[in-house]
Amino acid sequence: MENQQPVDSPRKTKQFIISEELIAEGKWVKFEKTTYMDPTGKTRTWETVKRATRKGQSADGVTIIPVLQRTLHYECIVLVKQFRPPMGSYCLEFPAGLIDDNESPEAAALRELEEETGYKGDIAECSPVICMDPGLSNCTTHIVTVTINGDEAENVRPKAKPGK
């Protein structure tokens, strides 16, 4: 094999935030210009969306994977159809919502599931905090798996209870 010369690579420096400038703030989100140091030592800017509702919770919200179980039926995943203005259309998605003050992710998941679908269930699992879209925002969620006993009377013909 031939002798290969080492390829010069750019020197890596530690990346860090230099400053954050508020551009606009609404009820739910704020838009910021973030100045940071890139790995080559160059100062750069990034447009960032941040939750204006974040307080002391472990995450901003919960995303629920509702598993409907009924005797003599296959298990089903429950999705909700919601109009999403940023998309300009309806979307099929997992039920989800923000965690209220002094509320656990598990309690938020059960509350949101009932509000959006009418179903009542039991917590099977709750993930650690997950970043939703880290290239755009600081939004975080817990993914919570909930089992629903579809044979229980309260889960036979459920009705959504928005804002309950």
Side-chain angles (χ1 to χ4, degrees), residues 37-52:
M37 183 70 61
D38 81 2
T40 66
K42 184 175 179 182
T43 300
R44 296 187 178 268
T45 59
W46 198 271
E47 293 173 346
T48 308
V49 176
K50 292 190 175 179
R51 281 268 179 209

PDB file of all heavy atoms in Angstrom, residues 37-52:
ATOM      1  N   MET A  37     -21.033  29.814  18.380  1.00  0.00           N
ATOM      2  CA  MET A  37     -19.725  29.499  17.825  1.00  0.00           C
ATOM      3  C   MET A  37     -19.814  28.120  17.183  1.00  0.00           C
ATOM      4  O   MET A  37     -20.236  27.160  17.833  1.00  0.00           O
ATOM      5  CB  MET A  37     -18.675  29.501  18.946  1.00  0.00           C
ATOM      6  CG  MET A  37     -17.255  29.253  18.472  1.00  0.00           C
ATOM      7  SD  MET A  37     -16.562  30.634  17.532  1.00  0.00           S
ATOM      8  CE  MET A  37     -16.631  31.936  18.746  1.00  0.00           C
ATOM      9  N   ASP A  38     -19.423  28.006  15.893  1.00  0.00           N
ATOM     10  CA  ASP A  38     -19.478  26.710  15.229  1.00  0.00           C
ATOM     11  C   ASP A  38     -18.170  25.935  15.492  1.00  0.00           C
ATOM     12  O   ASP A  38     -17.252  26.464  16.119  1.00  0.00           O
ATOM     13  CB  ASP A  38     -19.823  26.876  13.744  1.00  0.00           C
ATOM     14  CG  ASP A  38     -18.647  27.260  12.852  1.00  0.00           C
ATOM     15  OD1 ASP A  38     -17.505  27.369  13.340  1.00  0.00           O
ATOM     16  OD2 ASP A  38     -18.881  27.449  11.649  1.00  0.00           O
ATOM     17  N   PRO A  39     -18.064  24.679  15.024  1.00  0.00           N
ATOM     18  CA  PRO A  39     -16.887  23.872  15.362  1.00  0.00           C
ATOM     19  C   PRO A  39     -15.574  24.391  14.760  1.00  0.00           C
ATOM     20  O   PRO A  39     -14.505  24.001  15.203  1.00  0.00           O
ATOM     21  CB  PRO A  39     -17.217  22.482  14.835  1.00  0.00           C
ATOM     22  CG  PRO A  39     -18.426  22.608  13.996  1.00  0.00           C
ATOM     23  CD  PRO A  39     -19.070  23.929  14.307  1.00  0.00           C
ATOM     24  N   THR A  40     -15.665  25.270  13.758  1.00  0.00           N
ATOM     25  CA  THR A  40     -14.440  25.815  13.160  1.00  0.00           C
ATOM     26  C   THR A  40     -14.020  27.123  13.822  1.00  0.00           C
ATOM     27  O   THR A  40     -13.028  27.725  13.428  1.00  0.00           O
ATOM     28  CB  THR A  40     -14.634  26.058  11.649  1.00  0.00           C
ATOM     29  OG1 THR A  40     -15.605  27.100  11.456  1.00  0.00           O
ATOM     30  CG2 THR A  40     -15.067  24.798  10.925  1.00  0.00           C
ATOM     31  N   GLY A  41     -14.796  27.581  14.808  1.00  0.00           N
ATOM     32  CA  GLY A  41     -14.485  28.825  15.505  1.00  0.00           C
ATOM     33  C   GLY A  41     -15.151  30.041  14.895  1.00  0.00           C
ATOM     34  O   GLY A  41     -14.917  31.169  15.319  1.00  0.00           O
ATOM     35  N   LYS A  42     -16.020  29.822  13.904  1.00  0.00           N
ATOM     36  CA  LYS A  42     -16.720  30.925  13.246  1.00  0.00           C
ATOM     37  C   LYS A  42     -18.020  31.249  13.994  1.00  0.00           C
ATOM     38  O   LYS A  42     -18.729  30.358  14.439  1.00  0.00           O
ATOM     39  CB  LYS A  42     -17.038  30.540  11.802  1.00  0.00           C
ATOM     40  CG  LYS A  42     -17.668  31.655  11.009  1.00  0.00           C
ATOM     41  CD  LYS A  42     -17.862  31.255   9.550  1.00  0.00           C
ATOM     42  CE  LYS A  42     -18.512  32.407   8.805  1.00  0.00           C
ATOM     43  NZ  LYS A  42     -18.771  32.072   7.415  1.00  0.00           N
ATOM     44  N   THR A  43     -18.325  32.542  14.124  1.00  0.00           N
ATOM     45  CA  THR A  43     -19.573  32.983  14.738  1.00  0.00           C
ATOM     46  C   THR A  43     -20.686  32.905  13.697  1.00  0.00           C
ATOM     47  O   THR A  43     -20.531  33.396  12.578  1.00  0.00           O
ATOM     48  CB  THR A  43     -19.436  34.431  15.260  1.00  0.00           C
ATOM     49  OG1 THR A  43     -18.388  34.455  16.229  1.00  0.00           O
ATOM     50  CG2 THR A  43     -20.721  34.911  15.897  1.00  0.00           C
ATOM     51  N   ARG A  44     -21.797  32.271  14.082  1.00  0.00           N
ATOM     52  CA  ARG A  44     -22.927  32.091  13.173  1.00  0.00           C
ATOM     53  C   ARG A  44     -24.223  32.466  13.890  1.00  0.00           C
ATOM     54  O   ARG A  44     -24.260  32.557  15.107  1.00  0.00           O
ATOM     55  CB  ARG A  44     -23.020  30.641  12.706  1.00  0.00           C
ATOM     56  CG  ARG A  44     -21.822  30.201  11.885  1.00  0.00           C
ATOM     57  CD  ARG A  44     -22.085  28.808  11.319  1.00  0.00           C
ATOM     58  NE  ARG A  44     -21.004  28.349  10.494  1.00  0.00           N
ATOM     59  CZ  ARG A  44     -20.922  28.522   9.178  1.00  0.00           C
ATOM     60  NH1 ARG A  44     -21.889  29.165   8.553  1.00  0.00           N
ATOM     61  NH2 ARG A  44     -19.913  28.065   8.498  1.00  0.00           N
ATOM     62  N   THR A  45     -25.302  32.626  13.098  1.00  0.00           N
ATOM     63  CA  THR A  45     -26.614  32.884  13.683  1.00  0.00           C
ATOM     64  C   THR A  45     -27.584  31.790  13.253  1.00  0.00           C
ATOM     65  O   THR A  45     -27.417  31.171  12.194  1.00  0.00           O
ATOM     66  CB  THR A  45     -27.178  34.264  13.287  1.00  0.00           C
ATOM     67  OG1 THR A  45     -27.280  34.331  11.869  1.00  0.00           O
ATOM     68  CG2 THR A  45     -26.291  35.377  13.796  1.00  0.00           C
ATOM     69  N   TRP A  46     -28.589  31.581  14.079  1.00  0.00           N
ATOM     70  CA  TRP A  46     -29.602  30.542  13.849  1.00  0.00           C
ATOM     71  C   TRP A  46     -30.944  31.094  14.284  1.00  0.00           C
ATOM     72  O   TRP A  46     -31.036  31.748  15.321  1.00  0.00           O
ATOM     73  CB  TRP A  46     -29.256  29.318  14.716  1.00  0.00           C
ATOM     74  CG  TRP A  46     -29.924  28.046  14.309  1.00  0.00           C
ATOM     75  CD1 TRP A  46     -31.139  27.584  14.737  1.00  0.00           C
ATOM     76  CD2 TRP A  46     -29.416  27.054  13.437  1.00  0.00           C
ATOM     77  NE1 TRP A  46     -31.423  26.377  14.176  1.00  0.00           N
ATOM     78  CE2 TRP A  46     -30.362  26.019  13.366  1.00  0.00           C
ATOM     79  CE3 TRP A  46     -28.248  26.940  12.691  1.00  0.00           C
ATOM     80  CZ2 TRP A  46     -30.184  24.884  12.595  1.00  0.00           C
ATOM     81  CZ3 TRP A  46     -28.068  25.804  11.927  1.00  0.00           C
ATOM     82  CH2 TRP A  46     -29.026  24.802  11.876  1.00  0.00           C
ATOM     83  N   GLU A  47     -31.969  30.851  13.491  1.00  0.00           N
ATOM     84  CA  GLU A  47     -33.326  31.245  13.870  1.00  0.00           C
ATOM     85  C   GLU A  47     -33.928  30.109  14.688  1.00  0.00           C
ATOM     86  O   GLU A  47     -33.933  28.964  14.253  1.00  0.00           O
ATOM     87  CB  GLU A  47     -34.161  31.533  12.631  1.00  0.00           C
ATOM     88  CG  GLU A  47     -33.658  32.755  11.889  1.00  0.00           C
ATOM     89  CD  GLU A  47     -34.365  32.973  10.563  1.00  0.00           C
ATOM     90  OE1 GLU A  47     -35.052  32.057  10.066  1.00  0.00           O
ATOM     91  OE2 GLU A  47     -34.227  34.084  10.023  1.00  0.00           O
ATOM     92  N   THR A  48     -34.427  30.443  15.886  1.00  0.00           N
ATOM     93  CA  THR A  48     -34.875  29.441  16.843  1.00  0.00           C
ATOM     94  C   THR A  48     -36.290  29.748  17.333  1.00  0.00           C
ATOM     95  O   THR A  48     -36.610  30.892  17.610  1.00  0.00           O
ATOM     96  CB  THR A  48     -33.926  29.433  18.068  1.00  0.00           C
ATOM     97  OG1 THR A  48     -32.583  29.299  17.611  1.00  0.00           O
ATOM     98  CG2 THR A  48     -34.239  28.301  19.005  1.00  0.00           C
ATOM     99  N   VAL A  49     -37.098  28.707  17.448  1.00  0.00           N
ATOM    100  CA  VAL A  49     -38.427  28.815  18.042  1.00  0.00           C
ATOM    101  C   VAL A  49     -38.350  28.161  19.415  1.00  0.00           C
ATOM    102  O   VAL A  49     -37.814  27.063  19.559  1.00  0.00           O
ATOM    103  CB  VAL A  49     -39.489  28.098  17.174  1.00  0.00           C
ATOM    104  CG1 VAL A  49     -40.850  28.127  17.846  1.00  0.00           C
ATOM    105  CG2 VAL A  49     -39.544  28.708  15.788  1.00  0.00           C
ATOM    106  N   LYS A  50     -38.876  28.843  20.423  1.00  0.00           N
ATOM    107  CA  LYS A  50     -38.879  28.291  21.779  1.00  0.00           C
ATOM    108  C   LYS A  50     -40.279  28.377  22.364  1.00  0.00           C
ATOM    109  O   LYS A  50     -41.032  29.289  22.055  1.00  0.00           O
ATOM    110  CB  LYS A  50     -37.901  29.054  22.680  1.00  0.00           C
ATOM    111  CG  LYS A  50     -36.456  28.818  22.282  1.00  0.00           C
ATOM    112  CD  LYS A  50     -35.509  29.378  23.303  1.00  0.00           C
ATOM    113  CE  LYS A  50     -34.081  29.023  22.927  1.00  0.00           C
ATOM    114  NZ  LYS A  50     -33.131  29.559  23.883  1.00  0.00           N
ATOM    115  N   ARG A  51     -40.605  27.424  23.220  1.00  0.00           N
ATOM    116  CA  ARG A  51     -41.886  27.440  23.927  1.00  0.00           C
ATOM    117  C   ARG A  51     -41.914  28.600  24.901  1.00  0.00           C
ATOM    118  O   ARG A  51     -40.986  28.785  25.682  1.00  0.00           O
ATOM    119  CB  ARG A  51     -42.084  26.148  24.715  1.00  0.00           C
ATOM    120  CG  ARG A  51     -42.519  25.003  23.868  1.00  0.00           C
ATOM    121  CD  ARG A  51     -44.020  24.935  23.863  1.00  0.00           C
ATOM    122  NE  ARG A  51     -44.448  23.835  23.016  1.00  0.00           N
ATOM    123  CZ  ARG A  51     -45.584  23.828  22.372  1.00  0.00           C
ATOM    124  NH1 ARG A  51     -46.410  24.839  22.472  1.00  0.00           N
ATOM    125  NH2 ARG A  51     -45.920  22.818  21.628  1.00  0.00           N
ATOM    126  N   ALA A  52     -42.980  29.389  24.878  1.00  0.00           N
ATOM    127  CA  ALA A  52     -43.152  30.472  25.845  1.00  0.00           C
ATOM    128  C   ALA A  52     -43.819  29.938  27.109  1.00  0.00           C
ATOM    129  O   ALA A  52     -43.888  30.629  28.109  1.00  0.00           O
ATOM    130  CB  ALA A  52     -43.994  31.594  25.231  1.00  0.00           C
TER     131      ALA A  52
END
